[in-house]
Structure formats: structure tokens, C-alpha cells
Amino acid sequence: MQKLSLSHCQGVQDRYVQALLLELRGGTMSIPNLTDLDLGYTDVGGLTFSALCGRGQASRFATIADNSRAIKRLVLDGTVVDISWLRRILDSLGHQLEELSLLACPNLRAGPDVWSVFVTNAAKDDGLCQLSQLSL
């Protein structure tokens, strides 16, 4: 499975998406070929974002030489992601992200605080080196 879209799904609870991401990761930290994840306009929050960060950390160690199994496109449009979660997500997944969409996120406002997160992450050795498209 390379693409997973839960966009606009009704009744999707945060704990179910967390369980799905953890299950896809597997108990042995095996990473499937999930490269495109769309969680736009779903009712996800801290549990899902935590699982997403855990997946990013696992893929960082599992695929140092091969990033073909990393999430490259992440859509979080309309979710409750905030500046703190954005920072954590970028710290764990940012080194391999090519596309990131954060449109209509009620807890994020384009401005100095958000831009400083991107600038800080891009300045790291393994920061946003692959990011070619950002929607905010």
C-alpha cells in the first residue's frame, strides 16, 4: 500500500487512526511502502499525530540508506494540528517530506511563529531538504 486517504471520512476517531498507523508500522517496526497519507478534514488529534511522529522516527532509523518507504506526501488540511505538533511532525518526518499541506487548520495561522518552525527545521542537517511543495 502506497497511498492512504481518510480525507473527509465521517466518524473516524483519533484512536482508530492511531491504531491504524501503529498497525501499519507493525510490532517489529517494519515499515510498509506508505508514501502518501491524506488525513485532511478528519477528526484526528494528538493520538494520531503521536503515532505519525513515532512512524517518522522508526522510518528514520529503518531507512537511512533507503527512503523509498518514507511518507513523502502528507495532507493535514482542516485538522487541529497546532504549532507544537507541527514542530514535532517536522522533526520526525520533515527530512523525507516532499509535499506538505496544512490548509484551513484552525490552530495554525500563517505568520512569524509558523514560518520560524519551518526555518528552524530547514536549518538542521536533516531538515526539510526534500520539501518542494508547501500549502499553508
Side-chain angles (χ1 to χ4, degrees):
M1 173 182 1
Q2 289 185 333
K3 295 182 180 186
L4 175 62
S5 178
L6 299 174
S7 181
H8 292 89
C9 285
Q10 296 293 323
V12 174
Q13 293 182 10
D14 194 27
R15 63 185 175 170
Y16 297 138
V17 178
Q18 176 199 29
L20 177 64
L21 288 174
L22 293 174
E23 186 66 30
L24 287 175
R25 189 175 82 193
T28 60
M29 303 300 270
S30 61
I31 309 293
N33 294 331
L34 183 64
T35 60
D36 187 327
L37 181 59
D38 186 346
L39 299 172
Y41 303 99
T42 56
D43 192 21
V44 297
L47 294 173
T48 297
F49 301 146
S50 178
L52 192 57
C53 291
R55 181 186 165 79
Q57 290 300 323
S59 69
R60 184 178 289 247
F61 297 114
T63 61
I64 292 173
D66 176 20
N67 72 353
S68 64
R69 297 187 291 168
I71 294 175
K72 296 181 182 189
R73 180 177 178 268
L74 179 61
V75 177
L76 295 174
D77 297 347
T79 63
V80 295
V81 67
D82 61 16
I83 194 105
S84 177
W85 277 116
L86 177 62
R87 184 176 293 113
R88 290 182 218 168
I89 290 168
L90 291 179
D91 282 348
S92 63
L93 294 173
H95 63 290
Q96 295 169 333
L97 277 179
E98 294 175 4
E99 296 180 37
L100 176 62
S101 185
L102 299 163
L103 297 172
C105 292
N107 297 331
L108 284 179
R109 303 264 187 260
D113 292 338
V114 171
W115 292 118
S116 72
V117 171
F118 286 104
V119 169
T120 301
N121 192 279
K124 295 178 181 177
D125 289 340
D126 60 350
L128 296 168
C129 55
Q130 305 294 324
L131 193 65
S132 62
Q133 183 176 338
L134 173 64
S135 302
L136 182 62

PDB file of all heavy atoms in Angstrom, residues 4 6 12-24 37 39 42-45 47-49 51-52:
ATOM      1  N   LEU A   4      -2.782   6.176   1.291  1.00  0.00           N
ATOM      2  CA  LEU A   4      -3.885   6.013   2.212  1.00  0.00           C
ATOM      3  C   LEU A   4      -4.561   7.359   2.364  1.00  0.00           C
ATOM      4  O   LEU A   4      -3.924   8.337   2.745  1.00  0.00           O
ATOM      5  CB  LEU A   4      -3.396   5.512   3.571  1.00  0.00           C
ATOM      6  CG  LEU A   4      -4.452   5.403   4.675  1.00  0.00           C
ATOM      7  CD1 LEU A   4      -5.534   4.393   4.287  1.00  0.00           C
ATOM      8  CD2 LEU A   4      -3.794   5.020   5.988  1.00  0.00           C
ATOM      9  N   LEU A   6      -7.881   9.130   4.134  1.00  0.00           N
ATOM     10  CA  LEU A   6      -9.041   9.132   5.008  1.00  0.00           C
ATOM     11  C   LEU A   6      -9.731  10.490   4.940  1.00  0.00           C
ATOM     12  O   LEU A   6     -10.550  10.821   5.790  1.00  0.00           O
ATOM     13  CB  LEU A   6      -8.627   8.822   6.451  1.00  0.00           C
ATOM     14  CG  LEU A   6      -7.972   7.465   6.670  1.00  0.00           C
ATOM     15  CD1 LEU A   6      -7.481   7.330   8.104  1.00  0.00           C
ATOM     16  CD2 LEU A   6      -8.929   6.346   6.339  1.00  0.00           C
ATOM     17  N   VAL A  12     -14.441   8.949  11.822  1.00  0.00           N
ATOM     18  CA  VAL A  12     -13.083   8.458  12.073  1.00  0.00           C
ATOM     19  C   VAL A  12     -12.596   9.100  13.361  1.00  0.00           C
ATOM     20  O   VAL A  12     -12.515  10.307  13.469  1.00  0.00           O
ATOM     21  CB  VAL A  12     -12.134   8.820  10.901  1.00  0.00           C
ATOM     22  CG1 VAL A  12     -10.708   8.428  11.238  1.00  0.00           C
ATOM     23  CG2 VAL A  12     -12.585   8.167   9.627  1.00  0.00           C
ATOM     24  N   GLN A  13     -12.311   8.267  14.337  1.00  0.00           N
ATOM     25  CA  GLN A  13     -11.862   8.773  15.618  1.00  0.00           C
ATOM     26  C   GLN A  13     -10.345   8.726  15.700  1.00  0.00           C
ATOM     27  O   GLN A  13      -9.704   7.869  15.107  1.00  0.00           O
ATOM     28  CB  GLN A  13     -12.480   7.963  16.757  1.00  0.00           C
ATOM     29  CG  GLN A  13     -13.975   8.146  16.853  1.00  0.00           C
ATOM     30  CD  GLN A  13     -14.554   7.368  18.026  1.00  0.00           C
ATOM     31  OE1 GLN A  13     -13.835   6.843  18.879  1.00  0.00           O
ATOM     32  NE2 GLN A  13     -15.871   7.300  18.067  1.00  0.00           N
ATOM     33  N   ASP A  14      -9.828   9.642  16.475  1.00  0.00           N
ATOM     34  CA  ASP A  14      -8.386   9.782  16.652  1.00  0.00           C
ATOM     35  C   ASP A  14      -7.740   8.454  17.041  1.00  0.00           C
ATOM     36  O   ASP A  14      -6.737   8.048  16.475  1.00  0.00           O
ATOM     37  CB  ASP A  14      -8.130  10.848  17.708  1.00  0.00           C
ATOM     38  CG  ASP A  14      -6.694  11.332  17.742  1.00  0.00           C
ATOM     39  OD1 ASP A  14      -6.016  11.263  16.699  1.00  0.00           O
ATOM     40  OD2 ASP A  14      -6.267  11.802  18.797  1.00  0.00           O
ATOM     41  N   ARG A  15      -8.318   7.745  17.975  1.00  0.00           N
ATOM     42  CA  ARG A  15      -7.713   6.495  18.456  1.00  0.00           C
ATOM     43  C   ARG A  15      -7.672   5.418  17.374  1.00  0.00           C
ATOM     44  O   ARG A  15      -6.799   4.575  17.363  1.00  0.00           O
ATOM     45  CB  ARG A  15      -8.415   5.993  19.697  1.00  0.00           C
ATOM     46  CG  ARG A  15      -9.858   5.637  19.460  1.00  0.00           C
ATOM     47  CD  ARG A  15     -10.564   5.258  20.723  1.00  0.00           C
ATOM     48  NE  ARG A  15     -11.974   5.054  20.399  1.00  0.00           N
ATOM     49  CZ  ARG A  15     -12.825   4.535  21.216  1.00  0.00           C
ATOM     50  NH1 ARG A  15     -12.436   4.178  22.417  1.00  0.00           N
ATOM     51  NH2 ARG A  15     -14.070   4.383  20.863  1.00  0.00           N
ATOM     52  N   TYR A  16      -8.641   5.437  16.439  1.00  0.00           N
ATOM     53  CA  TYR A  16      -8.651   4.453  15.365  1.00  0.00           C
ATOM     54  C   TYR A  16      -7.550   4.723  14.348  1.00  0.00           C
ATOM     55  O   TYR A  16      -6.913   3.798  13.850  1.00  0.00           O
ATOM     56  CB  TYR A  16     -10.006   4.416  14.658  1.00  0.00           C
ATOM     57  CG  TYR A  16     -11.142   3.990  15.563  1.00  0.00           C
ATOM     58  CD1 TYR A  16     -12.354   4.638  15.506  1.00  0.00           C
ATOM     59  CD2 TYR A  16     -10.989   2.954  16.476  1.00  0.00           C
ATOM     60  CE1 TYR A  16     -13.402   4.263  16.343  1.00  0.00           C
ATOM     61  CE2 TYR A  16     -12.030   2.572  17.310  1.00  0.00           C
ATOM     62  CZ  TYR A  16     -13.233   3.231  17.234  1.00  0.00           C
ATOM     63  OH  TYR A  16     -14.263   2.855  18.060  1.00  0.00           O
ATOM     64  N   VAL A  17      -7.335   5.996  14.053  1.00  0.00           N
ATOM     65  CA  VAL A  17      -6.257   6.338  13.119  1.00  0.00           C
ATOM     66  C   VAL A  17      -4.908   6.037  13.762  1.00  0.00           C
ATOM     67  O   VAL A  17      -4.003   5.525  13.112  1.00  0.00           O
ATOM     68  CB  VAL A  17      -6.352   7.811  12.659  1.00  0.00           C
ATOM     69  CG1 VAL A  17      -5.212   8.161  11.725  1.00  0.00           C
ATOM     70  CG2 VAL A  17      -7.699   8.072  11.984  1.00  0.00           C
ATOM     71  N   GLN A  18      -4.780   6.322  15.056  1.00  0.00           N
ATOM     72  CA  GLN A  18      -3.555   5.983  15.770  1.00  0.00           C
ATOM     73  C   GLN A  18      -3.291   4.484  15.678  1.00  0.00           C
ATOM     74  O   GLN A  18      -2.188   4.052  15.350  1.00  0.00           O
ATOM     75  CB  GLN A  18      -3.650   6.393  17.240  1.00  0.00           C
ATOM     76  CG  GLN A  18      -2.424   5.971  18.039  1.00  0.00           C
ATOM     77  CD  GLN A  18      -2.662   5.935  19.537  1.00  0.00           C
ATOM     78  OE1 GLN A  18      -3.775   5.693  20.003  1.00  0.00           O
ATOM     79  NE2 GLN A  18      -1.598   6.165  20.286  1.00  0.00           N
ATOM     80  N   ALA A  19      -4.320   3.679  15.952  1.00  0.00           N
ATOM     81  CA  ALA A  19      -4.168   2.221  15.896  1.00  0.00           C
ATOM     82  C   ALA A  19      -3.797   1.770  14.488  1.00  0.00           C
ATOM     83  O   ALA A  19      -2.956   0.884  14.313  1.00  0.00           O
ATOM     84  CB  ALA A  19      -5.451   1.542  16.355  1.00  0.00           C
ATOM     85  N   LEU A  20      -4.401   2.376  13.477  1.00  0.00           N
ATOM     86  CA  LEU A  20      -4.096   2.031  12.094  1.00  0.00           C
ATOM     87  C   LEU A  20      -2.637   2.341  11.758  1.00  0.00           C
ATOM     88  O   LEU A  20      -1.936   1.509  11.184  1.00  0.00           O
ATOM     89  CB  LEU A  20      -5.024   2.772  11.141  1.00  0.00           C
ATOM     90  CG  LEU A  20      -4.776   2.553   9.651  1.00  0.00           C
ATOM     91  CD1 LEU A  20      -5.023   1.097   9.283  1.00  0.00           C
ATOM     92  CD2 LEU A  20      -5.672   3.475   8.833  1.00  0.00           C
ATOM     93  N   LEU A  21      -2.177   3.520  12.136  1.00  0.00           N
ATOM     94  CA  LEU A  21      -0.779   3.879  11.860  1.00  0.00           C
ATOM     95  C   LEU A  21       0.185   2.965  12.601  1.00  0.00           C
ATOM     96  O   LEU A  21       1.214   2.573  12.057  1.00  0.00           O
ATOM     97  CB  LEU A  21      -0.518   5.341  12.213  1.00  0.00           C
ATOM     98  CG  LEU A  21      -1.127   6.366  11.278  1.00  0.00           C
ATOM     99  CD1 LEU A  21      -0.922   7.777  11.823  1.00  0.00           C
ATOM    100  CD2 LEU A  21      -0.550   6.250   9.884  1.00  0.00           C
ATOM    101  N   LEU A  22      -0.143   2.636  13.839  1.00  0.00           N
ATOM    102  CA  LEU A  22       0.720   1.723  14.588  1.00  0.00           C
ATOM    103  C   LEU A  22       0.690   0.328  13.994  1.00  0.00           C
ATOM    104  O   LEU A  22       1.711  -0.352  13.934  1.00  0.00           O
ATOM    105  CB  LEU A  22       0.313   1.699  16.061  1.00  0.00           C
ATOM    106  CG  LEU A  22       0.550   2.998  16.829  1.00  0.00           C
ATOM    107  CD1 LEU A  22      -0.019   2.904  18.233  1.00  0.00           C
ATOM    108  CD2 LEU A  22       2.018   3.358  16.862  1.00  0.00           C
ATOM    109  N   GLU A  23      -0.473  -0.107  13.528  1.00  0.00           N
ATOM    110  CA  GLU A  23      -0.593  -1.424  12.904  1.00  0.00           C
ATOM    111  C   GLU A  23       0.183  -1.474  11.595  1.00  0.00           C
ATOM    112  O   GLU A  23       0.856  -2.453  11.291  1.00  0.00           O
ATOM    113  CB  GLU A  23      -2.067  -1.753  12.651  1.00  0.00           C
ATOM    114  CG  GLU A  23      -2.299  -3.146  12.129  1.00  0.00           C
ATOM    115  CD  GLU A  23      -1.946  -4.230  13.143  1.00  0.00           C
ATOM    116  OE1 GLU A  23      -2.065  -3.988  14.352  1.00  0.00           O
ATOM    117  OE2 GLU A  23      -1.543  -5.321  12.707  1.00  0.00           O
ATOM    118  N   LEU A  24       0.089  -0.403  10.803  1.00  0.00           N
ATOM    119  CA  LEU A  24       0.841  -0.351   9.553  1.00  0.00           C
ATOM    120  C   LEU A  24       2.338  -0.383   9.814  1.00  0.00           C
ATOM    121  O   LEU A  24       3.099  -0.907   9.025  1.00  0.00           O
ATOM    122  CB  LEU A  24       0.477   0.907   8.754  1.00  0.00           C
ATOM    123  CG  LEU A  24      -0.886   0.918   8.086  1.00  0.00           C
ATOM    124  CD1 LEU A  24      -1.153   2.272   7.449  1.00  0.00           C
ATOM    125  CD2 LEU A  24      -0.994  -0.185   7.053  1.00  0.00           C
ATOM    126  N   LEU A  37      -0.025  10.028   2.583  1.00  0.00           N
ATOM    127  CA  LEU A  37      -1.008   9.938   3.658  1.00  0.00           C
ATOM    128  C   LEU A  37      -1.855  11.201   3.682  1.00  0.00           C
ATOM    129  O   LEU A  37      -1.332  12.306   3.854  1.00  0.00           O
ATOM    130  CB  LEU A  37      -0.306   9.747   5.004  1.00  0.00           C
ATOM    131  CG  LEU A  37      -1.195   9.623   6.234  1.00  0.00           C
ATOM    132  CD1 LEU A  37      -2.151   8.436   6.100  1.00  0.00           C
ATOM    133  CD2 LEU A  37      -0.340   9.479   7.480  1.00  0.00           C
ATOM    134  N   LEU A  39      -4.915  12.859   5.629  1.00  0.00           N
ATOM    135  CA  LEU A  39      -5.800  12.880   6.787  1.00  0.00           C
ATOM    136  C   LEU A  39      -6.650  14.145   6.798  1.00  0.00           C
ATOM    137  O   LEU A  39      -7.210  14.511   7.827  1.00  0.00           O
ATOM    138  CB  LEU A  39      -4.988  12.773   8.083  1.00  0.00           C
ATOM    139  CG  LEU A  39      -4.164  11.508   8.256  1.00  0.00           C
ATOM    140  CD1 LEU A  39      -3.268  11.609   9.487  1.00  0.00           C
ATOM    141  CD2 LEU A  39      -5.057  10.295   8.339  1.00  0.00           C
ATOM    142  N   THR A  42     -10.356  15.255   8.709  1.00  0.00           N
ATOM    143  CA  THR A  42     -10.799  14.176   9.586  1.00  0.00           C
ATOM    144  C   THR A  42     -10.648  14.654  11.020  1.00  0.00           C
ATOM    145  O   THR A  42      -9.943  15.617  11.299  1.00  0.00           O
ATOM    146  CB  THR A  42      -9.985  12.878   9.384  1.00  0.00           C
ATOM    147  OG1 THR A  42      -8.609  13.175   9.564  1.00  0.00           O
ATOM    148  CG2 THR A  42     -10.218  12.270   8.024  1.00  0.00           C
ATOM    149  N   ASP A  43     -11.266  13.967  11.926  1.00  0.00           N
ATOM    150  CA  ASP A  43     -11.265  14.358  13.335  1.00  0.00           C
ATOM    151  C   ASP A  43     -10.098  13.697  14.056  1.00  0.00           C
ATOM    152  O   ASP A  43     -10.286  12.902  14.968  1.00  0.00           O
ATOM    153  CB  ASP A  43     -12.599  13.967  13.973  1.00  0.00           C
ATOM    154  CG  ASP A  43     -12.777  14.598  15.338  1.00  0.00           C
ATOM    155  OD1 ASP A  43     -12.110  15.605  15.629  1.00  0.00           O
ATOM    156  OD2 ASP A  43     -13.575  14.059  16.124  1.00  0.00           O
ATOM    157  N   VAL A  44      -8.900  13.993  13.597  1.00  0.00           N
ATOM    158  CA  VAL A  44      -7.714  13.425  14.234  1.00  0.00           C
ATOM    159  C   VAL A  44      -7.065  14.471  15.134  1.00  0.00           C
ATOM    160  O   VAL A  44      -7.289  15.665  14.979  1.00  0.00           O
ATOM    161  CB  VAL A  44      -6.687  12.896  13.198  1.00  0.00           C
ATOM    162  CG1 VAL A  44      -7.275  11.758  12.399  1.00  0.00           C
ATOM    163  CG2 VAL A  44      -6.204  14.002  12.276  1.00  0.00           C
ATOM    164  N   GLY A  45      -6.273  14.012  16.065  1.00  0.00           N
ATOM    165  CA  GLY A  45      -5.625  14.913  17.002  1.00  0.00           C
ATOM    166  C   GLY A  45      -4.340  14.327  17.532  1.00  0.00           C
ATOM    167  O   GLY A  45      -3.591  13.665  16.807  1.00  0.00           O
ATOM    168  N   LEU A  47      -3.382  11.787  19.430  1.00  0.00           N
ATOM    169  CA  LEU A  47      -3.035  10.367  19.330  1.00  0.00           C
ATOM    170  C   LEU A  47      -2.499  10.028  17.942  1.00  0.00           C
ATOM    171  O   LEU A  47      -1.490   9.336  17.797  1.00  0.00           O
ATOM    172  CB  LEU A  47      -4.248   9.484  19.644  1.00  0.00           C
ATOM    173  CG  LEU A  47      -4.794   9.538  21.073  1.00  0.00           C
ATOM    174  CD1 LEU A  47      -6.083   8.742  21.182  1.00  0.00           C
ATOM    175  CD2 LEU A  47      -3.754   9.036  22.053  1.00  0.00           C
ATOM    176  N   THR A  48      -3.178  10.543  16.928  1.00  0.00           N
ATOM    177  CA  THR A  48      -2.735  10.308  15.547  1.00  0.00           C
ATOM    178  C   THR A  48      -1.402  10.990  15.287  1.00  0.00           C
ATOM    179  O   THR A  48      -0.503  10.395  14.690  1.00  0.00           O
ATOM    180  CB  THR A  48      -3.794  10.823  14.550  1.00  0.00           C
ATOM    181  OG1 THR A  48      -4.990  10.068  14.732  1.00  0.00           O
ATOM    182  CG2 THR A  48      -3.321  10.694  13.118  1.00  0.00           C
ATOM    183  N   PHE A  49      -1.266  12.232  15.734  1.00  0.00           N
ATOM    184  CA  PHE A  49      -0.016  12.957  15.496  1.00  0.00           C
ATOM    185  C   PHE A  49       1.145  12.264  16.202  1.00  0.00           C
ATOM    186  O   PHE A  49       2.258  12.185  15.672  1.00  0.00           O
ATOM    187  CB  PHE A  49      -0.142  14.411  15.950  1.00  0.00           C
ATOM    188  CG  PHE A  49      -1.231  15.180  15.260  1.00  0.00           C
ATOM    189  CD1 PHE A  49      -1.941  16.147  15.935  1.00  0.00           C
ATOM    190  CD2 PHE A  49      -1.560  14.937  13.930  1.00  0.00           C
ATOM    191  CE1 PHE A  49      -2.952  16.863  15.306  1.00  0.00           C
ATOM    192  CE2 PHE A  49      -2.573  15.640  13.289  1.00  0.00           C
ATOM    193  CZ  PHE A  49      -3.267  16.603  13.985  1.00  0.00           C
ATOM    194  N   ALA A  51       1.370   9.000  16.834  1.00  0.00           N
ATOM    195  CA  ALA A  51       1.678   7.796  16.047  1.00  0.00           C
ATOM    196  C   ALA A  51       2.425   8.165  14.773  1.00  0.00           C
ATOM    197  O   ALA A  51       3.344   7.456  14.352  1.00  0.00           O
ATOM    198  CB  ALA A  51       0.397   7.042  15.707  1.00  0.00           C
ATOM    199  N   LEU A  52       2.057   9.289  14.176  1.00  0.00           N
ATOM    200  CA  LEU A  52       2.728   9.760  12.968  1.00  0.00           C
ATOM    201  C   LEU A  52       4.185  10.093  13.265  1.00  0.00           C
ATOM    202  O   LEU A  52       5.086   9.722  12.509  1.00  0.00           O
ATOM    203  CB  LEU A  52       1.986  10.995  12.442  1.00  0.00           C
ATOM    204  CG  LEU A  52       2.295  11.510  11.071  1.00  0.00           C
ATOM    205  CD1 LEU A  52       2.084  10.436  10.011  1.00  0.00           C
ATOM    206  CD2 LEU A  52       1.404  12.707  10.763  1.00  0.00           C
TER     207      LEU A  52
END
